[in-house]
Amino acid sequence: MTGLFRQRWLESAGEYVEAAPEGDVGRELLAFLQAEGIKSVVIGGSPLMPIVGERLAGEVEILADFGRAGYERETAKLLCSRAEAGISGVDALISETGALVVSSTGRAGFMISSLPPLHLVVAHEAPVFRSQEDFLAVAPTDLSFSFITGPSRTADIEKRLVLGAHGPKRVVVWGPEI
Amino acid sequence: MSLVRRNIKRALDDRKLGRAVLNSCLLSTEKRDRLISELDFQSTRAAARLIRQRSLDENRPLLERFKESFEKAGGRLHYALTAEAACRIVVDILLKAGALQGVKAKSMVTEEIGLGQALHRAGIDAVESDLGEYIIQLAGERPSHITAPALHRSKESIGRLFADRLKIPYTDDPQQLTEIARSVLRRRYIDAEFGVSGANFLVAETGHVVVVENEGNGRLGASLPRIFVAVTGIEKVVGGLSDLAPLLALLARSATGQRATAYVNALLPAPDVSDAPDEFHLVLVDNGRRRTMADPDFAEMLLCIRCGACLNVCPVYRSVGGHAYGSVYPGPMGAVLSNLLGPRMMMHHELPFLSTLCGACKEVCPVDMDLPGMLLKLRERAPKPAIDRVAAAGWGWAMATPARMELAGRTVRTIGRAIGAMPAGSTVKTGMSFRGLSREASDK
């Protein structure tokens, strides 16, 4: 199922990195950020994020860590729109459509996945569902959530596909080894 | 010549427009066909149709259930019987909150009710944020397609428009034009006090408002500003989250030839959450829908999920594009729907004739609506042209008594001779009128 997820995710212009087994995903993220020359990030509030935050501390500028502190809306949106990358976890992966499930849990999940031009997703421990149908049968009934399939896009000018309409131009997933 | 006829003539004379529309339709149809073939189309659309049929059959209880879930989560529900009422509700919400500038995502129902103009009149500044809608808002035009609003414009004309309106150097590169719109609109998003959007589906059991999109403007509008107003038709409610699966699979494939759109947002009010609005409003629009649900000939039209596939395959739409229809909703679905919504039926009675009844629209429809059948029924209901109406009324009057019949006969003969349509003496070979003959016969 992970193989199908990756195939579909790549078809939607998403990027996929296999997270090393036993590996430290924080170290891998840091290496990626340094290779891309990225200096400022915002970090989401999912369970793995504190470890990621520790790895990145002192190496890149962490404008906001939503796992450690709550922010007012105005502050949150300014910090997220100033960051070069948003780093977040994910609630689930969906194979058939190659989709991430991201919920808004009060930790700026929507802003982190919308405002920075680059979205990095830590997904190697996320549950994988076969189809949208399978996920919807157990989906949270008390939270907002989005299916995200690749970077934001438009084809409004002569049907030419352009990535990075209003949301991120690139979305990179650290997923399970295949 | 009627307005629709003039529009059609103008569209057919514009060969650039014709090429742009045809190319876009062919591309969309080809992508759609490729991805639809992955599904068992007939069984998936049968499932989707059942779900949508329940939306209509159990509309009131489903809306009651939705209201309960949505309000429990902290949302505020409004009901608008007419387009004017819907606009007034949105304007009141925004004025009361002191939210005078904001962003609007693409939505056909807001076009239908004329929300853009209503906000403008109220002094509220709402910028369209979908790229296609932004382009046509800059140009002062209306959308020409329900999912690709600027389909009628070439990249060169968009380049000139941007250069002129935004005072920037000319470029016709879609990538650069998109970047420009992104950066202009990003500032508007950060400053926006409100977001307005449509909604594709409402989930009765949970209260989720579902917004399907590709650009990411929908979720920005629903998470950045402090006020969010979704506007949608009363027919959009479905039972549970699981009902979304076949609808989403068909919508993405039929509308844009994608397996899934970049974003499907299932939004729930959450007043305490930093990336959810403080106020989450939903305006339910009737505007003729309740009346249509009770009409056995046309209730089926409300199954529509606004994918636009019927536009893309229609030989008439492919030739003339969307503006020729002169209605908010164009193409086969528009030719039907435009005659059902609003204060009275048959506002666009010429549109059902803009069809060859080839049946392509029914073939691709993801909820299997009988569009050709409805077009035919609308043709029957269409008012007859004025000359026919006068003739029919005159016939009835003249045939009522023998005296009137004689008078009418003489009048017609006189006029006929005067305009040379009926040479003297040619009416009845015996030289006697039919009236005269029949009187003679009855005298015998």
Side-chain angles (χ1 to χ4, degrees):
Chain A
M1 280 205 307
T2 317
L4 180 60
F5 168 81
R6 184 176 66 170
Q7 182 196 329
R8 293 282 155 88
W9 176 251
L10 295 174
E11 283 170 17
S12 302
E15 298 170 51
Y16 193 95
V17 179
E18 284 185 40
E22 319 287 322
D24 174 354
V25 75
R27 204 190 313 258
E28 293 177 20
L29 278 169
L30 179 59
F32 179 89
L33 292 172
Q34 287 171 337
E36 295 283 335
I38 285 164
K39 296 189 172 53
S40 60
V41 299
V42 282
I43 301 180
S46 51
L48 279 168
M49 289 300 113
I51 309 166
V52 170
E54 276 168 33
R55 278 285 170 219
L56 301 187
E59 304 288 341
V60 294
E61 189 185 356
I62 300 174
L63 296 176
D65 186 338
F66 291 93
R68 289 175 194 274
Y71 294 83
E72 290 291 310
R73 175 200 325 286
E74 292 306 312
T75 319
K77 85 185 174 191
L78 285 174
L79 294 174
C80 286
S81 61
R82 212 185 298 153
E84 292 170 84
I87 305 175
S88 79
V90 70
D91 297 347
L93 304 177
I94 296 174
S95 295
E96 256 179 29
T97 52
L100 317 175
V101 183
V102 170
S103 63
S104 160
T105 57
R107 288 158 169 171
F110 272 29
M111 287 193 196
I112 289 175
S113 56
S114 295
L115 285 170
L118 174 62
H119 182 202
L120 308 179
V121 185
V122 179
H124 64 298
E125 292 186 356
V128 185
F129 289 83
R130 185 185 56 85
S131 62
Q132 277 182 346
E133 200 174 353
D134 288 357
F135 175 79
L136 287 168
V138 297
T141 55
D142 56 348
L143 285 178
S144 295
F145 60 90
S146 289
F147 295 136
I148 300 182
T149 308
S152 88
R153 63 197 58 213
T154 181
D156 274 349
I157 302 177
E158 292 194 358
K159 294 271 154 196
R160 276 263 305 275
L161 177 68
V162 178
L163 299 178
H166 289 285
K169 297 170 185 178
R170 295 173 65 192
V171 186
V172 188
V173 165
W174 268 260
E177 265 201 317
I178 292 163
Chain B
M1 201 192 286
S2 77
L3 188 63
V4 172
R5 276 164 195 263
R6 251 200 316 271
N7 288 343
I8 291 171
K9 183 163 186 324
R10 194 183 311 139
L12 290 174
D13 288 343
D14 186 344
R15 295 173 73 182
K16 262 193 190 158
L17 172 80
R19 265 200 307 277
V21 174
L22 181 62
N23 280 341
S24 162
C25 288
L26 290 174
L27 259 170
S28 301
T29 304
E30 185 198 312
K31 277 165 65 189
R32 177 237 167 234
D33 291 350
R34 206 164 47 227
L35 282 170
I36 281 285
S37 67
E38 289 183 356
L39 300 175
D40 179 344
F41 181 54
Q42 296 308 338
S43 71
T44 313
R45 78 168 169 173
R49 188 181 164 104
L50 274 179
I51 290 164
R52 295 292 300 130
Q53 189 63 52
R54 185 179 166 220
S55 305
L56 308 186
D57 294 346
E58 299 174 32
N59 190 260
R60 282 180 198 275
L62 284 172
L63 284 179
E64 280 301 316
R65 183 75 201 276
F66 175 80
K67 178 179 157 70
E68 201 178 299
S69 331
F70 180 75
E71 287 181 345
K72 198 172 138 215
R76 301 183 208 180
L77 193 71
H78 310 262
Y79 185 88
L81 190 59
T82 63
E84 297 71 32
C87 290
R88 203 163 49 238
I89 290 167
V90 179
V91 167
D92 285 350
I93 291 168
L94 299 179
L95 291 181
K96 199 171 154 209
L100 296 181
Q101 60 156 337
V103 280
K104 196 173 156 295
K106 183 180 158 36
S107 138
M108 285 312 296
V109 75
T110 58
E111 294 287 340
E112 173 192 322
I113 62 174
L115 182 62
Q117 299 89 308
L119 293 177
H120 184 73
R121 278 197 301 272
I124 297 167
D125 178 14
V127 66
E128 291 284 353
S129 57
D130 173 86
L131 178 61
E133 293 280 345
Y134 178 65
I135 291 165
I136 62 171
Q137 188 182 38
L138 279 183
E141 294 173 343
R142 298 187 94 175
S144 69
H145 189 287
I146 63 171
T147 63
L151 163 158
H152 58 286
R153 281 193 160 258
S154 66
K155 60 185 195 307
E156 291 80 11
S157 82
I158 296 167
R160 285 192 296 273
L161 179 72
F162 275 33
D164 180 41
R165 294 295 157 87
L166 304 175
K167 313 287 173 222
I168 51 164
Y170 172 85
T171 170
D172 58 21
D173 176 38
Q175 175 91 41
Q176 282 185 39
L177 290 167
T178 305
E179 294 266 351
I180 292 160
R182 177 191 167 98
S183 74
V184 172
L185 289 167
R186 180 52 75 92
R187 285 196 295 276
R188 295 295 306 261
Y189 265 106
I190 299 299
D191 296 338
E193 295 167 299
F194 69 86
V196 173
S197 162
N200 298 81
F201 306 106
L202 307 172
V203 182
E205 279 169 23
T206 59
H208 281 103
V209 174
V210 181
V211 178
V212 178
E213 52 146 349
N214 270 307
E215 297 190 2
N217 55 329
R219 62 203 310 264
L220 278 177
S223 58
L224 261 50
R226 61 192 167 89
I227 315 281
F228 176 61
V229 187
V231 184
T232 199
I234 56 171
E235 81 281 20
K236 298 291 176 89
V237 68
V238 299
L241 284 171
S242 291
D243 287 334
L244 297 174
L247 297 173
L248 292 173
L250 287 165
L251 180 56
R253 286 173 169 83
S254 304
T256 43
Q258 292 172 286
R259 211 170 268 124
T261 57
Y263 303 102
V264 175
N265 308 299
L267 305 167
L268 207 58
D272 307 327
V273 166
S274 64
D275 61 347
D278 299 340
E279 289 180 30
F280 188 141
H281 298 264
L282 177 73
V283 182
L284 286 170
V285 179
D286 183 326
N287 200 28
R289 287 167 171 80
R290 184 70 65 202
R291 176 186 63 206
T292 303
M293 278 180 208
D295 185 335
D297 285 344
F298 300 109
E300 189 180 5
M301 187 63 228
L302 297 177
L303 301 172
C304 177
I305 57 172
R306 309 287 191 268
C307 69
C310 64
L311 278 59
N312 298 334
V313 295
C314 176
V316 176
Y317 182 91
R318 284 179 172 185
S319 312
V320 298
H323 287 154
Y325 291 75
S327 54
V328 169
Y329 300 98
M333 60 77 66
V336 178
L337 190 62
S338 307
N339 280 307
L340 305 176
L341 300 180
R344 61 189 178 89
M345 297 256 317
M346 304 308 294
M347 298 257 283
H348 295 273
H349 56 81
E350 283 172 291
L351 299 188
F353 296 91
L354 299 194
S355 164
T356 64
L357 301 176
C358 69
C361 48
K362 178 169 164 46
E363 230 166 83
V364 297
C365 178
V367 288
D368 201 13
M369 292 188 296
D370 183 12
L371 284 162
M374 288 190 280
L375 287 167
L376 272 174
K377 285 181 201 153
L378 283 171
R379 288 183 183 187
E380 285 166 19
R381 287 198 192 184
K384 300 286 177 282
I387 184 83
D388 291 3
R389 278 204 309 274
V390 170
W395 175 258
W397 177 84
M399 291 299 119
T401 69
R404 283 187 195 172
M405 197 168 145
E406 186 166 315
L407 172 66
R410 272 205 308 274
T411 312
V412 169
R413 278 195 300 277
T414 311
I415 294 172
R417 284 190 201 105
I419 63 173
M422 203 184 274
S426 72
T427 36
V428 179
K429 279 186 180 154
T430 59
M432 289 182 75
S433 69
F434 170 73
R435 272 289 306 135
L437 285 172
S438 68
R439 195 187 300 129
E440 206 169 61
S442 61
D443 288 348
K444 278 177 187 167

